[in-house]
Amino acid sequence: MAEDGVVLVGTLRANGWPRISPVEPLVFDGRLYLGMMWRSRKAVDLLADPRCVVHTSVRNRDGTDGDVKIYGEAREVDEPGERDRYCSALEKAIGWRPEGDFHLFAVDVTEIGYVAVVDGAHDVRTWHP
């Protein structure tokens, strides 16, 4: 995730249909954080229903690089100290610090899936906390 800098996040829209949106993830202090523009549709989706999936970029069609899907619930972060630590970590990672209002979510992971093609066979792994 850090190498690509962008993941896809799947959320549930108000009408029940899925939405897929790009997000810049940040992992620090052992947590996966997703920062989003204020009142963006994906943020509003998560405020209504926190279930989500975070999917890494697929780099090639032969699957040898593998991909990861992280399932969980996005918890809105509104504690000022945690938000400030996120902003500092983000600035250190990419040289940019958010200004003004923005949504910040920490993903409480419920499952991780990994799939890659290794020596012509599927290497499939799952993890549960």
Side-chain angles (χ1 to χ4, degrees):
M1 286 188 292
E3 188 175 314
D4 292 337
V6 176
V7 294
L8 294 176
V9 173
T11 61
L12 293 171
R13 299 176 349 175
N15 64 8
W17 284 85
R19 181 187 318 273
I20 298 175
S21 307
V23 175
E24 295 179 66
L26 181 67
V27 177
F28 82 99
D29 286 345
R31 310 260 351 211
L32 170 59
Y33 289 90
L34 306 172
M36 299 178 188
M37 291 182 350
W38 185 248
R39 303 305 292 172
S40 65
R41 297 308 311 155
K42 59 192 163 211
V44 171
D45 290 347
L46 291 174
L47 292 171
D49 187 332
R51 294 175 295 167
C52 65
V53 60
V54 178
H55 190 285
T56 59
S57 299
V58 176
R59 296 179 177 200
N60 57 34
R61 56 167 63 168
D62 62 12
T64 55
D65 283 344
D67 65 270
V68 175
K69 293 175 191 75
I70 301 170
Y71 300 88
E73 293 191 6
R75 173 185 57 81
E76 186 172 28
V77 176
D78 46 20
E79 195 277 314
E82 187 175 1
R83 289 177 67 87
D84 189 56
R85 288 189 302 278
Y86 164 84
C87 290
S88 294
L90 183 66
E91 186 173 26
K92 182 178 178 184
I94 67 171
W96 179 79
R97 186 180 187 96
E99 294 181 18
D101 291 334
F102 68 98
H103 291 282
L104 179 60
F105 297 93
V107 178
D108 294 327
V109 177
T110 58
E111 181 180 354
I112 299 175
Y114 166 81
V115 177
V117 176
V118 178
D119 296 327
H122 288 105
D123 179 11
V124 179
R125 303 174 194 201
T126 57
W127 177 85
H128 300 270

